[in-house]
Amino acid sequence: VSQSRYPEVYVEPFLGSGTILLALQPRRAIVNDINPRLTMLWYICSHHIDEVKRFAEHMDDTRELYEKCLTEFSEKAPVLQHEIPRKWHSQQPCSCSTELVKASIQYYFLQRMTFGARSCFRKDGTLQASYAQDMRAKHLYYSPNYQKVHEYLRNSDITFTVGCYTEVGVPKNAFMYLDPPYCSYNSRNVTVYGRTINQEEVAKWAKSHGVPFVQSNMWTDKIKELYSDCSLHQFEVKRALRNSVTTTN
């Protein structure tokens, strides 16, 4: 997908880490994720870059720091999550406490240090995670990268929302990139990140807007059936996860 081929507005209902957003860097976009803690990371990179750099300077990949961050984050997250804005713009700051900025950095650190291991939120809002040592973790807090993200966000017209993908407003002049939980080969649904999604509902919603879209998914018979009434173009993409991870409880 190139910027010269998609229309005026880029829409991504399942933002996640925002890899495609940062790769394309559209000037105007509407992006969403159901995880408010994750979207908060984008918010602080947009409006609190100095605090991000200050907290990041003291981060490393030690087990001691991991345990400390996990304890502090689990204690504060249930209260602080109510402070996270459900809709905001990359050029318009909202009020945000220093504690929330710190908790967001800790969340990012914990997620990266548990990559390849199990990480999920309990019903009380605390985080359950396992430590996964990765030698590349020491490079997570490279300040120039934060600065580049900050500059892109502040110079672009991007609306961030927190909620279900069905709540995302899709304009007629949009192009969508969909990266939902993937369809498995033995079921219509697949559970990842502690959530289950209905593939029929995703397909119905995606097609209802009448705009072009690209979707990342397993090329199963179910997916072929759901999108059989569309003009399909299949792209084979290698999917790889880091395998140099050692997990400890």
Side-chain angles (χ1 to χ4, degrees):
V1 180
S2 66
Q3 287 203 33
S4 61
R5 297 190 62 182
Y6 63 75
E8 295 181 16
V9 186
Y10 173 81
V11 177
E12 189 169 350
F14 305 91
L15 179 61
S17 64
T19 301
I20 303 300
L21 175 69
L22 292 179
L24 295 176
Q25 296 195 6
R27 293 296 95 188
R28 186 182 177 197
I30 300 171
V31 295
N32 172 82
D33 199 275
I34 200 168
N35 184 350
R37 306 165 191 87
L38 189 148
T39 54
M40 191 60 199
L41 292 171
W42 291 91
Y43 179 81
I44 62 174
C45 276
S46 180
H47 299 292
H48 296 270
I49 188 64
D50 291 335
E51 290 94 328
V52 170
K53 291 179 179 179
R54 186 171 66 252
F55 284 127
E57 287 176 356
H58 303 289
M59 294 294 187
D60 56 48
D61 60 349
T62 63
R63 178 64 179 265
E64 180 181 2
L65 179 59
Y66 171 84
E67 296 292 353
K68 179 181 178 181
C69 286
L70 180 59
T71 300
E72 291 183 358
F73 179 82
S74 294
E75 290 176 349
K76 298 175 181 179
V79 177
L80 291 174
Q81 66 179 351
H82 299 294
E83 187 184 332
I84 300 174
R86 261 42 185 184
K87 183 177 181 179
W88 54 277
H89 193 274
S90 60
Q91 297 176 350
Q92 299 172 356
C94 303
S95 60
C96 178
S97 68
T98 301
E99 284 300 311
L100 183 56
V101 173
K102 180 179 179 180
S104 299
I105 289 292
Q106 289 176 330
Y107 177 64
Y108 176 60
F109 173 77
L110 291 168
Q111 289 298 303
R112 293 305 300 257
M113 292 302 292
T114 59
F115 193 90
R118 183 181 180 185
S119 172
C120 63
F121 281 93
R122 303 181 180 92
K123 291 183 178 180
D124 62 1
T126 58
L127 181 66
Q128 176 182 330
S130 299
Y131 179 76
Q133 177 68 47
D134 190 312
M135 294 304 294
R136 280 171 286 187
K138 64 184 67 177
H139 303 300
L140 296 180
Y141 298 95
Y142 184 52
S143 293
N145 288 343
Y146 279 125
Q147 187 64 39
K148 289 178 181 179
V149 172
H150 169 74
E151 291 173 357
Y152 163 62
L153 294 176
R154 293 306 299 272
N155 292 312
S156 303
D157 179 4
I158 305 177
T159 299
F160 288 80
T161 59
V162 179
C164 179
Y165 69 93
T166 57
E167 300 171 359
V168 177
V170 182
K172 293 299 182 180
N173 59 341
F175 166 84
M176 282 199 298
Y177 171 61
L178 303 171
D179 188 24
Y182 293 165
C183 181
S184 65
Y185 281 98
N186 56 10
S187 173
R188 72 175 63 181
N189 299 325
V190 60
T191 301
V192 295
Y193 310 127
R195 298 186 182 277
T196 301
I197 197 165
N198 187 295
Q199 298 292 342
E200 286 91 341
E201 292 180 358
V202 173
K204 182 179 179 180
W205 180 83
K207 294 184 290 185
S208 68
H209 301 289
V211 301
F213 62 87
V214 169
Q215 179 176 165
S216 298
N217 217 317
M218 298 293 187
W219 191 236
T220 64
D221 291 338
K222 186 65 181 180
I223 292 299
K224 295 176 185 178
E225 176 188 347
L226 289 175
Y227 296 93
S228 61
D229 56 342
C230 297
S231 177
L232 292 177
H233 300 276
Q234 180 186 1
F235 303 90
E236 293 187 3
V237 180
K238 292 184 178 180
R239 182 170 181 261
L241 297 177
R242 286 181 287 173
N243 56 13
S244 57
V245 176
T246 302
T247 305
T248 56
N249 296 321

